Amino acid sequence: MSTTTPVEEAPREERSRRLPMIATGAFAVALLIGIVIAVGGAKAGLWGLIPIFLYAVLALLGVDVVLATAGALIVAAVMTRTGPIPLGAQMATSLGSLVAVIGVIILLGSALGQVTQETGAAQALIRFVMGRIGLNTRTRVQLGIMVSSLIIVGALGTLAGGNAILAPIIIPIAARTGWRPPAVAAMLHAAGAAGLMTGPFTPPVVTIMAATRLGYGAYLLHAGLPVAAMTIVTGFFMARWIQRHTDQEYTAADAADTTAGTDTRQARRAALVLAVVLLALAVYGIAEKATYSYAVVVMIVTAVATGLAGGLAPKRILDAMYVGAARLIWLFLLFWMLDPMLTLIGETGAFNAVFTDLKPVLSHAGPWVFLMLIVFLGYLHAVPGAAVAQVVLVNKLFGPVAAALGVAPGVWAVALLGTSQIDQLGPLPGADMIGQMGLARSSSLRLMLFNGWAIIITNTALFAVLFLALT
């Protein structure tokens, strides 16, 4: 029985009624600014960042993230005087964009998860892991989740795809040991981000190595390992803090997933095929230097192989994949709209204005100030899914300045990693952050932001120390 009194409920109900009004007001103000800029006809410059701030405000006010994205897209379209026909063309083009592909990868990961559930492969694999390692305490479960995420994301080169494969397997374990969805989301985001920083063929690592002409070992020593270690350690402790500050729980169905099927020979065979095929494809991907899109093949092949090994007919495998993908269709819609929104914001000149305004300051600064400003530039120039392009752009604009200031390649690699990767953790909500929330079945964007902000703060302190020591 609830212990909340009518007196306590009244302010809560009043706040719940005010939030939609505040959200509507924020959208109206942003739309009005967009109309004024459109009528003026000139480039919006820094005002072009209004849709991103609207998106963040609406999300923080509790508006559905798909609606928040749609609202920001509308404002960006108005601001750039983009009519229905060209907007439709943008939406069509978006289906082939990196951001939309991330959405597809998440759908396929959820589809694979459903196949592993119906064959009993996930249950058998979990029993094997728990029997051999003894994941019977919260701390061991947390370590297992984060190390697994670090490895699989680093191997596949995709945060979305790696954790989409992992989530259906580890969520039942987390639920049974009392972990809560927002805490699991923080673990996946922090550990997966660290995996992107250390994996041998992840897009940001390959691009930074090319820009600085460092080998993989030198890159890891100077940039990858220090930043990844700070990220995963901070995420470890933040997940424990979040665990104490949330009331959201996994359902009984989530916790029961590990025992839903019997421990049959078919289930054990399916688990073996799941592990072997996934490992073989990951090793092959590393050997062939596969890009993020390889995750699509990995998940489809693994789902089919696991289903067949588990005794499912082809039609039933497809049905299972449909059911799994349907759970996260809202995430695909969100990712689909993000790309045209960011493209239109780029057309306002907002991103160029940020770089143009800061470039004179950077060129006259000393090495330490210059490098810290490069990192902060990445926090401002937060474009989800565009880490590779961001590295190329920053290196092209400011690489000569770094060389003139005597910045060593290893130090420049740290700056490029900071400016291109830390912004996925904040300071505003992004596709990667929301994707990990969806995979962990968390509904708390606020706590995800706290996790991201903590990692940004600790890494910023690390950058300051490294730059001071190495320049």
Side-chain angles (χ1 to χ4, degrees), residues 94 96-103 105 292 335 339 384-388:
S94 172
S97 69
L98 169 62
V99 178
V101 171
I102 292 175
I105 290 171
Y292 69 93
F335 280 80
D339 184 72
V388 171

Side-chain angles (χ1 to χ4, degrees), residues 327-339:
R327 292 198 189 103
L328 296 180
I329 189 64
W330 65 272
L331 271 176
F332 174 75
L333 295 175
L334 174 107
F335 280 80
W336 178 35
M337 288 187 290
L338 271 180
D339 184 72

Side-chain angles (χ1 to χ4, degrees), residues 315-331:
K315 177 63 166 61
R316 190 175 170 191
I317 294 173
L318 287 175
D319 288 340
M321 293 178 71
Y322 299 154
V323 171
R327 292 198 189 103
L328 296 180
I329 189 64
W330 65 272
L331 271 176

Side-chain angles (χ1 to χ4, degrees), residues 374-414:
I374 287 292
V375 170
F376 288 133
L377 183 61
Y379 298 169
L380 295 174
H381 190 251
V383 183
V388 171
Q390 199 158 308
V391 170
V392 172
L393 181 58
V394 171
N395 188 62
K396 181 178 179 181
L397 288 174
F398 304 113
V401 179
L405 291 172
V407 176
V411 182
W412 185 231
V414 176

Side-chain angles (χ1 to χ4, degrees), residues 102 153 158-160 163 188-198 202 204 227 231 378-387 390 417-436 445 448-449 451-453 455-456:
I102 292 175
V153 172
T158 163
L159 179 68
N163 282 341
L188 293 177
H189 199 191
L196 284 178
M197 299 172 191
T198 53
T202 65
V227 180
T231 299
Y379 298 169
L380 295 174
H381 190 251
V383 183
Q390 199 158 308
L417 183 61
T419 198
S420 65
Q421 284 299 296
I422 299 302
D423 62 14
Q424 68 166 295
L425 297 154
L428 301 176
D432 290 325
M433 179 183 294
I434 296 167
Q436 302 313 298
L445 178 59
M448 280 297 280
L449 283 170
N451 179 62
W453 292 342
I455 294 174
I456 287 175

Side-chain angles (χ1 to χ4, degrees), residues 340-360:
M341 182 188 84
L342 295 172
T343 300
L344 292 175
I345 292 173
E347 292 179 6
T348 67
F351 299 140
N352 288 336
V354 171
F355 279 104
T356 301
D357 290 349
L358 289 180
K359 188 175 180 180

Side-chain angles (χ1 to χ4, degrees), residues 219-468:
Y219 162 80
L220 279 181
L221 180 63
H222 290 94
L225 289 179
V227 180
M230 181 62 75
T231 299
I232 203 167
V233 168
T234 304
F236 179 89
F237 289 106
M238 279 303 299
R240 301 176 83 83
W241 181 87
I242 289 171
Q243 174 76 2
R244 298 192 301 270
H245 291 82
T246 181
D247 295 326
Q248 185 187 355
E249 301 281 356
Y250 281 114
T251 64
D254 294 326
D257 278 348
T258 54
T259 57
T262 57
D263 189 15
T264 64
R265 180 177 298 178
Q266 275 190 336
R268 292 193 295 271
R269 183 172 64 241
L272 177 62
V273 169
L274 170 66
V276 171
V277 171
L278 192 58
L279 178 61
L281 290 174
V283 171
Y284 175 78
I286 293 174
E288 295 296 321
K289 300 180 180 179
T291 63
Y292 69 93
S293 58
Y294 177 61
V296 173
V297 176
V298 170
M299 282 178 282
I300 293 175
V301 172
T302 306
V304 172
T306 302
L308 293 174
L312 300 184
K315 177 63 166 61
R316 190 175 170 191
I317 294 173
L318 287 175
D319 288 340
M321 293 178 71
Y322 299 154
V323 171
R327 292 198 189 103
L328 296 180
I329 189 64
W330 65 272
L331 271 176
F332 174 75
L333 295 175
L334 174 107
F335 280 80
W336 178 35
M337 288 187 290
L338 271 180
D339 184 72
M341 182 188 84
L342 295 172
T343 300
L344 292 175
I345 292 173
E347 292 179 6
T348 67
F351 299 140
N352 288 336
V354 171
F355 279 104
T356 301
D357 290 349
L358 289 180
K359 188 175 180 180
V361 178
L362 296 178
S363 62
H364 291 91
W368 187 87
V369 174
F370 166 73
L371 292 167
M372 291 302 296
L373 287 175
I374 287 292
V375 170
F376 288 133
L377 183 61
Y379 298 169
L380 295 174
H381 190 251
V383 183
V388 171
Q390 199 158 308
V391 170
V392 172
L393 181 58
V394 171
N395 188 62
K396 181 178 179 181
L397 288 174
F398 304 113
V401 179
L405 291 172
V407 176
V411 182
W412 185 231
V414 176
L416 290 176
L417 183 61
T419 198
S420 65
Q421 284 299 296
I422 299 302
D423 62 14
Q424 68 166 295
L425 297 154
L428 301 176
D432 290 325
M433 179 183 294
I434 296 167
Q436 302 313 298
M437 283 177 55
L439 292 174
R441 305 171 195 175
S442 168
S443 61
S444 180
L445 178 59
R446 181 176 63 91
L447 291 176
M448 280 297 280
L449 283 170
F450 288 165
N451 179 62
W453 292 342
I455 294 174
I456 287 175
I457 291 170
T458 56
N459 269 297
T460 301
L462 173 66
F463 296 143
V465 172
L466 288 176
F467 296 155
L468 187 64

